[in-house]
Amino acid sequence: MTKQTLIAPSILSADFSKLGEEITSIDKAGADWIHLDVMDGHFVPNLTFGPPIIKAVRGTSDKFFDAHLMVSNPDVLLDDYIGAGCDGVTVHIEACTHLDRTLSAIREKGARAGVSLNPHTSIEGLSYVLDRLDLILVMSVNPGFGGQSFLRSQLAKIAAIKELIGDRPIDIQVDGGVTADNAGEVIGAGANVLVAGSAVFKGGPDHYEANIAALRA
Ligand code: DX5
Ligand code: ZN
């Protein structure tokens, strides 16, 4: 059965001076999930926001809060992010010494468990944790910034992950440089959740609904 394509706008591209309003706007414009790009300035060169901001905007939308933790030591942060209202927590495989334990902990704390792979990372590390996973996030840019170009090398990785998971109920999410022009190829390769920042927020609030619809088309 083909999964419905979900659109998860990344608030990294939102107007941070009115973040709550922006989240409400993309919610009403048709966003399925709200993608929260958490960056610690260590695992990636940029620093964005943390649990206090997420807690502050939690009430602006009932949509699924999809936290992408681009941080060096996620194990010590799980309670804070889940406590702030994150429904899904995705950690980077490159940042986890004990990935099986980290994923189990996310689920035990009541959130969906995801793992993300940077463009250079092969999929072998997923083989023995598939039963711990609700989501696999393929980075199609080198993480840290919005507005980068899609790395086409990741299309083959998406297809390989699709084959690896078989009929397991695991979402395949792609993040970075996704636009209406390449969304079809990304979905065709096997993804069912598209993260987009600049492609959704370009043009301002009056364009959000059309931008999201263009990705879904
Ligand atoms: C990059 C972030 C992505 C990025 C997507 O580190 O994880 O979510 O914000 O932004 P666009 O869609 O503009 O590439
Ligand atoms: Zn992201």
Side-chain angles (χ1 to χ4, degrees):
M1 180 195 71
T2 322
K3 284 188 164 190
Q4 181 210 0
T5 301
L6 301 177
I7 307 298
S10 161
I11 63 168
L12 186 63
S13 303
D15 178 344
F16 274 24
S17 72
K18 49 181 185 175
L19 202 48
E21 279 172 54
E22 290 274 79
I23 292 171
T24 303
S25 296
I26 54 170
D27 178 334
K28 291 189 174 13
D32 295 295
W33 293 0
I34 310 295
H35 186 79
L36 309 170
D37 276 320
V38 174
M39 300 180 188
D40 66 359
H42 183 259
F43 181 75
V44 289
N46 208 342
L47 177 66
T48 54
F49 48 77
I53 298 288
I54 294 171
K55 189 165 185 230
V57 299
R58 177 65 269 190
T60 62
S61 168
D62 291 335
K63 295 288 171 70
F64 186 90
F65 268 26
D66 166 39
H68 174 194
L69 300 188
M70 289 167 272
V71 302
S72 294
N73 188 4
D75 289 315
V76 300
L77 301 170
L78 300 179
D79 288 327
D80 292 347
Y81 282 94
I82 296 168
C86 297
D87 300 297
V89 174
T90 298
V91 295
H92 267 263
I93 193 169
E94 302 89 358
C96 293
T97 309
H98 305 289
L99 180 61
D100 183 285
R101 183 184 296 152
T102 302
L103 296 170
S104 301
I106 293 169
R107 281 181 163 174
E108 281 154 22
K109 296 174 191 292
R112 289 180 91 233
V115 66
S116 182
L117 287 75
N118 283 333
H120 74 283
T121 305
S122 64
I123 70 172
E124 276 61 40
L126 301 174
S127 306
Y128 300 103
V129 292
L130 291 173
D131 294 337
R132 300 274 194 248
L133 284 171
D134 300 301
L135 176 137
I136 297 168
L137 168 50
V138 176
M139 291 307 298
S140 39
V141 294
N142 291 292
F145 306 93
Q148 300 179 79
S149 300
F150 181 84
L151 294 172
R152 296 187 58 80
S153 62
Q154 302 306 297
L155 288 169
K157 185 190 289 185
I158 297 163
I161 288 171
K162 178 78 177 163
E163 192 178 335
L164 178 69
I165 66 177
D167 57 3
R168 291 180 178 86
I170 299 174
D171 286 317
I172 301 177
Q173 183 180 46
V174 178
D175 182 358
V178 174
T179 66
D181 295 336
N182 60 34
E185 278 187 285
V186 174
I187 293 164
N192 71 295
V193 187
L194 304 181
V195 175
S198 32
V200 168
F201 286 93
K202 68 182 180 189
D206 294 344
H207 294 78
Y208 294 172
E209 187 165 354
N211 291 343
I212 290 173
L215 285 164
R216 217 188 287 281

